[in-house]
Amino acid sequence: MSIAIAIAIALAAPDAKADLAYLHQVAHEVVDAARVAPGASISNGGKNTTGFALRVPGGTQSFYPAFWIRDAAMMLGGDLVPADEIDGWVKVVAATQPGPAGLTFAHGLIIPGYSAPDHITLQGEACWFPGAYTNQGDGAYGFLPPADDAFFFLQIVHAQWVLSRNAEWFDGPVSTGWGQHPLSEVCDRAFESVATDQATGLVICDATPGHSRVDWGFCDSIRKTGLCLMPSLLRWQAARRLAELHAARKRPGEAKRYRQIADRIAKNLTRIFFSPMSASEGRLMSATGIGNQDDIWASAFAVWLGVLPRRTEMQVARHLQNLCRDGSSVQAGQVRQLPKSGPLEGNWQQATSGRDNYQNGGYWATPTGWLVVALGKVDRLASDRLLHDYAQFVRENRSAGAPFEWVNANINARSNANYGSSAGLVYVAIASPSK
């Protein structure tokens, strides 16, 4: 290569450090705008009477006017939210936890004991299902709550400890729906509230009528059955974090038990979900039943976590690299859930959202940070280019409301300005991953 060509390539290469610094600034702006102080009110959400500051899913506060556990967790892991505020979140979530008998609602809705809700009103009331508030819905989004929120609650607990390093806090008393108990017990119970396959440790979504559930909130309009990849990855992450917390409290037996659970999950991920495409490339499928499709988001998350065996990790990373080269799976640095080139033209087998819309073909920044890190394992320039494309999109459209929840230029769609995970999670996943 000539010196002139080398200089030209260097000049054309994205400035990843500058792009990340810009996204850090935007993340602060968006996450700060999502804060609802105690006693403050927002349109459609009423007054925050919990006694604690909460963050709704974005700066457009009235779009999702409640405290979503997973969206809040996606703001953490960096310097965006202080530890004392996170402590308040933990108390608000813990207060909604039911006892061992769980809860039941009209339409056959079932809340297993010790579950975590999908979201919580600013008055502290649990909303157990997507698409509904305290009326709880009619089963359109499952008859059991989503399989991810308990694990995102544990992420919130872990994030507070990482910032405060106050291990005694993990054993402090918190109020729940079944009395006052040590936070550590509340966490242990929450971890066990989600149904799993005992042999593999993987999360299962029952196909039996009247027992369906959403596998995780960013697929709440998608139906999946069988063993499910994304909540299993979240369970692995939660087990490791509980192992850390128990170790910090000098409970080696409990720490070992959670490490063994994590090991069992990791051991079975490749066997159950990995589908080789060639000697150098492979994909991870989203579920073993309905939804047995090539899951870009969960694949990027798995590589980001570092949970896969090295050979499998590289095969999946190369698959993600090839999808990015193809171009149809990524739009301005934002990512579809399924490859456009795949079966059903990148749409889910069963979805209530329309084709090329929302979770069924929209392009999201929620997984962008995971994908940037995953690509960096096989192609640093492609990784930097993806980051740059997204940062540039936000720069060019910031005054119009970017970062959005999802976009699709093919149908001229941009939804929900100043969305939290399109800002906070992108930055945190790249800058300070806490796995």
Side-chain angles (χ1 to χ4, degrees), residues 191-204:
F191 182 83
E192 297 297 342
S193 70
V194 179
T196 61
D197 173 66
Q198 294 304 304
T200 63
L202 304 174
V203 173
I204 188 166

Side-chain angles (χ1 to χ4, degrees), residues 357-423:
N357 203 291
Y358 191 46
Q359 297 163 351
N360 197 27
Y363 294 82
W364 299 61
T366 295
T368 294
W370 300 333
L371 185 55
V372 166
V373 173
L375 288 176
K377 294 179 179 288
V378 291
D379 188 338
R380 173 52 59 187
L381 183 58
S383 172
D384 290 348
R385 175 57 60 188
L386 178 67
L387 174 61
H388 179 72
D389 287 350
Y390 181 59
Q392 193 62 24
F393 172 84
V394 176
R395 286 187 186 100
E396 293 173 357
N397 295 281
R398 185 75 183 106
S399 62
F404 301 100
E405 182 177 4
W406 66 275
V407 303
N408 191 341
N410 300 323
I411 59 172
N412 197 31
R414 292 180 175 180
S415 180
N416 190 14
N418 292 298
Y419 189 59
S421 67
S422 298

Side-chain angles (χ1 to χ4, degrees), residues 74-135:
M74 288 178 172
M75 298 175 180
L76 305 180
D79 62 351
L80 304 178
V81 183
D84 59 346
E85 182 177 332
I86 302 171
D87 173 65
W89 297 3
V90 171
K91 291 173 180 173
V92 169
V93 178
T96 68
Q97 188 183 60
L103 302 167
T104 58
F105 295 101
H107 307 290
L109 304 180
I110 304 165
I111 313 301
Y114 310 114
S115 294
D118 184 70
H119 50 290
I120 301 169
T121 70
L122 298 184
Q123 296 76 47
E125 296 177 285
C127 309
W128 294 99
F129 296 90
Y133 285 87
T134 54
N135 66 328

Side-chain angles (χ1 to χ4, degrees), residues 34 47 81 149 243 265 351 356 389:
K47 185 176 181 179
V81 183
D149 284 296
I265 295 168
D356 298 321
D389 287 350

